Amino acid sequence: MNSYSIEVENLTKKFGEFTAVDNISFKVAKGEIFGFLGANGAGKTTAMRMLTGLSKPTSGQGTVAGFNVIRDHEKIKTRIGYMSQKFSLYEDLTVRQNIRLFGGIYGLSNQEIREKSETILHDLRLSEVSSKLVAALPLGWKQRLAFAISMIHDPDIVFLDEPTGGVDPFVRRQFWEAIYEAAGHGRTIFVTTHYLDEAEYCDRVSIMVSGRIEALDTPTNLKKQFNASTMDNVFVKLVR
Amino acid sequence: MMTILPIFQLIVLSNAATNEVKEVKIILLDHDLSEISRNLTRKITASDHFKLTGSLFSKKQALEKMQANEADIILEIPNRFEKEFIRGEKPAIQMLVNAINGQQATVGSGYLRNIISTYSQDILSEVHWVPQSNHSSISISTRYWYNPLLKYTDFMVPGILAELTALLTIVLTAMNVVREREIGTIEQINVTPIKKWQFIMGKLIPFLCVGMFIMTVGLTVGKIIFHIPMAGSLILLFVYAFVNIIAVLGFGLLISNFADTQQQAIFVAFFFILIFILMSGLFTPIESMPTWAQHLTKVNPLAHFIAVSRKVLMKGSGFVDLTSEFAYTLILAIVFNVSAIWSYKKQE
Ligand SMILES: Nc1ncnc2c1ncn2[C@@H]1O[C@H](COP(=O)(O)OP(=O)(O)O)[C@@H](O)[C@H]1O
Ligand SMILES: [Mg+2]
């Protein structure tokens, strides 16, 4: 077994003439928190959708959780969790019903679903609102619930697409604590963000510009390489 | 597609949805076998509105044919018809009309009445040896079978009930899945290892319950408000409805796979729904449509649903009389649902 949870070579996605993701190659180690940075429209979501089996690569190769992204995309899905950029739990179901639904889809037994429900409700302090519709929750709570549900089947890798978009700094902090806790259990975290300060929380980051990966290293090394004091400066220098 | 569909609709519907009736199936019971009765038969078969599907001598047999939907009208000419006619005794021809299909019944029997009375006037000039008598004429007694009072609601309500059940379920499913696509929840489903057939089943089962519920409410309302007849087995009707709703749900799901927005889904759904309704036999009897249109009704789940609900409720038809509807519907259910599973895309 190799020690990478994600390995990608020359992955490309075209929409007609337009190349949204242009020949990207990288490796992510097991248990790593890998930040995927880039401005809006850089191609982060498109790249992530190829890795999660939601989108068929135009060309290139890769493995995710040991499975081939071209051939075995349905097998990949058993080993990964995904939290989309657009909130996508069922707003017209209650908190508990959402947990039940996704637990069931991932093939958990009733017993496991019951245990998971209690753990999630307890950890997120959602017990009191467990029979409220998800629509009624504040955005920060929804995001944390979506994150917890994306890990209901104990995946090896979790893909988070701008999980902290639009939430206040306090909830962002909470969210990153949750990410650390998940990574602490040996899970690989693949997270996109356009908050550059969040890059500092990652083990390594890649910076994407117009579909290409223009830089990839630890935050410390990147700052050294670009002779910058913050990731913000790295980004500015890179884009210019 | 938005422009091709309406044009297609215009062409198909204006040809198929006609008020005229054609090919009214007639069974002749000629007990007289005289020259006058044979001449009358010839007149009737010469008209292209009618198709002679049998000449029999037993009324029982003729009625069985009608039950099996092989006859729209049974025309019974009594023996001694010729003799009584010549003597000016106004012999009565009996017309038994299958009124399960309102238009075929009223319009068809009207045509027939016309032919007979014209004939009774012409008879004197055509049959040379008939002695001149101004009193000679034919009377016609008509009986409507299965819907004796020709009650409009009796044949419309079972049809409309079938129509509403089918349509609501098509629209509800198509909209439901596309709505998930718009909101984005479907992506969260697609990123799980769920099998395509599981997803389709997950949509099918709840809407099947909704469909059966609509059907039950509709039947109850039909009974209480319109006093529709319930001659046959309701269990049989529900078993058929079960298969039919699975078929139309499969169709709705198929539509949803090709629509990105709810507007698109509605547009495409209504396009097919309109064709389904107008070519279902609800208004225009299927027998009166051009042959190509009649073949099209075989892939129209609504046509079968309407036929079955009318036959079961009005005629009391049993399973053996409905085997072709069951068979076609079952095939449609399989084809639509397999296509829906097959065309459902978990990956873009
Ligand atoms: N389905 C699609 N069809 C056409 N273009 C698309 C599609 N999805 C994304 N794009 C384009 O690809 C580019 C990258 O988009 P995306 O991956 O969403 O960027 P990011 O997540 O970094 O903001 C954008 O210019 C976007 O308009
Ligand atoms: Mg994005």
Side-chain angles (χ1 to χ4, degrees), chain A residues 38-46 48-49 85-86 161-162 192 194:
Chain A
N40 268 331
K44 305 181 295 294
T45 300
T46 308
M48 189 180 268
R49 286 169 53 83
Q85 181 176 353
K86 206 166 160 188
D161 198 356
E162 303 203 8
T192 76
H194 61 248

Side-chain angles (χ1 to χ4, degrees), chain B residues 28-31 33 55-59 61:
Chain B
L28 204 70
L29 281 173
D30 186 352
H31 299 298
L33 292 175
S55 290
L56 302 170
F57 297 100
S58 138
K59 189 159 178 177
Q61 245 181 341

Side-chain angles (χ1 to χ4, degrees), chain A:
Chain A
M1 280 296 285
N2 65 44
S3 57
Y4 294 109
S5 54
I6 304 173
E7 278 189 84
V8 166
E9 238 172 84
N10 303 324
L11 209 60
T12 298
K13 179 82 187 187
K14 293 187 178 175
F15 296 109
E17 288 294 290
F18 175 71
T19 308
V21 174
D22 192 1
N23 264 296
I24 58 171
S25 306
F26 59 88
K27 292 176 180 171
V28 179
K30 281 187 178 147
E32 195 174 7
I33 300 181
F34 190 82
F36 211 54
L37 271 61
N40 268 331
K44 305 181 295 294
T45 300
T46 308
M48 189 180 268
R49 286 169 53 83
M50 286 192 281
L51 298 178
T52 53
L54 284 170
S55 169
K56 195 181 163 76
T58 310
S59 62
Q61 271 302 333
T63 57
V64 172
F67 297 112
N68 186 291
V69 287
I70 310 287
R71 283 196 317 270
D72 294 328
H73 47 88
E74 289 306 299
K75 287 187 188 146
I76 289 177
K77 289 171 182 174
T78 62
R79 299 306 328 142
I80 60 160
Y82 172 68
M83 185 179 155
S84 114
Q85 181 176 353
K86 206 166 160 188
F87 179 75
S88 50
L89 294 182
Y90 287 86
E91 302 233 2
D92 47 3
L93 294 183
T94 66
V95 174
R96 212 179 261 282
Q97 286 167 338
N98 268 289
I99 300 174
R100 225 219 104 78
L101 173 67
F102 285 99
I105 290 177
Y106 281 109
L108 271 58
S109 70
N110 283 338
Q111 174 66 22
E112 287 168 320
I113 291 174
R114 228 171 294 130
E115 286 167 12
K116 278 281 180 193
S117 303
E118 291 321 312
T119 318
I120 292 173
L121 294 174
H122 176 263
D123 289 353
L124 301 185
R125 299 191 185 80
L126 288 175
S127 299
E128 263 142 53
V129 293
S130 69
S131 34
K132 279 225 164 60
L133 296 186
V134 165
L137 302 185
L139 181 64
W141 295 21
K142 283 187 193 172
Q143 294 293 79
R144 294 191 55 206
L145 179 63
F147 182 38
I149 288 180
S150 76
M151 293 187 294
I152 197 165
H153 55 303
D154 240 333
D156 300 335
I157 312 169
V158 192
F159 290 87
L160 305 170
D161 198 356
E162 303 203 8
T164 53
V167 301
D168 61 63
F170 175 72
V171 179
R172 271 171 66 191
R173 250 205 98 70
Q174 262 190 335
F175 205 98
W176 274 95
E177 275 164 21
I179 290 178
Y180 270 100
E181 203 199 310
H185 296 142
R187 246 190 276 284
T188 307
I189 308 284
F190 189 101
V191 56
T192 76
T193 178
H194 61 248
Y195 295 113
L196 292 164
D197 58 319
E198 287 185 352
E200 308 275 0
Y201 306 146
C202 302
D203 295 328
R204 283 192 308 149
V205 298
S206 78
I207 299 178
M208 214 173 172
V209 181
S210 318
R212 295 166 171 278
I213 292 183
E214 296 291 354
L216 197 168
D217 213 329
T218 61
T220 322
N221 286 348
L222 282 176
K223 280 183 279 190
K224 226 182 269 166
Q225 184 188 336
F226 285 88
N227 198 10
S229 57
T230 63
M231 282 304 291
D232 236 350
N233 289 343
V234 171
F235 192 72
V236 169
K237 289 190 174 176
L238 195 64
V239 173
R240 199 190 301 140

Side-chain angles (χ1 to χ4, degrees), chain B residues 17-182:
Chain B
T18 148
N19 254 331
E20 238 183 317
V21 300
K22 279 187 205 133
E23 307 239 327
V24 177
K25 287 171 284 193
I26 291 211
I27 285 189
L28 204 70
L29 281 173
D30 186 352
H31 299 298
D32 197 36
L33 292 175
S34 60
E35 189 176 348
I36 291 186
S37 75
R38 284 205 195 94
N39 262 336
L40 175 60
T41 315
R42 222 167 288 135
K43 289 265 176 213
I44 295 167
T45 49
S47 151
D48 58 357
H49 294 299
F50 299 104
K51 193 171 108 191
L52 192 68
T53 50
S55 290
L56 302 170
F57 297 100
S58 138
K59 189 159 178 177
K60 186 165 159 279
Q61 245 181 341
L63 286 172
E64 276 165 10
K65 291 251 181 204
M66 186 176 271
Q67 177 79 20
N69 232 27
E70 285 164 38
D72 296 312
I73 296 180
I74 299 171
L75 194 69
E76 191 176 22
I77 302 175
N79 76 28
R80 299 171 52 79
F81 172 73
E82 190 177 88
K83 277 193 193 116
E84 290 178 9
F85 179 80
I86 294 166
R87 287 187 199 148
E89 286 173 11
K90 300 193 181 175
I93 289 186
Q94 202 181 40
M95 209 153 73
L96 293 174
V97 182
N98 176 353
I100 201 157
N101 190 329
Q103 194 171 333
Q104 203 84 346
T106 45
V107 181
S109 64
Y111 287 163
L112 197 55
R113 197 184 294 272
N114 225 337
I115 292 179
I116 295 172
S117 63
T118 316
Y119 177 64
S120 86
Q121 282 155 24
D122 296 349
I123 224 168
L124 305 171
S125 57
E126 282 180 25
V127 186
H128 302 294
W129 52 266
V130 172
Q132 298 288 331
S133 160
N134 291 333
H135 304 294
S136 297
S137 68
I138 303 172
S139 69
I140 304 162
S141 78
T142 310
R143 285 184 61 197
Y144 293 102
W145 225 245
Y146 308 122
N147 187 1
L149 302 176
L150 267 190
K151 269 172 69 187
Y152 184 70
T153 49
D154 277 9
F155 55 77
M156 284 313 277
V157 172
I160 291 174
L161 176 64
E163 176 211 310
L164 285 180
T165 310
L167 302 190
L168 275 173
T169 44
I170 288 183
V171 173
L172 286 177
T173 35
M175 298 288 286
N176 177 278
V177 176
V178 177
R179 185 165 162 268
E180 284 213 38
R181 190 162 298 141
E182 281 184 3

Side-chain angles (χ1 to χ4, degrees), chain B residues 335-348:
Chain B
V335 169
F336 287 151
N337 283 288
V338 169
S339 317
I341 293 171
W342 179 71
S343 63
Y344 179 71
K345 286 203 172 54
K346 283 188 76 183
Q347 194 183 38
E348 280 174 10

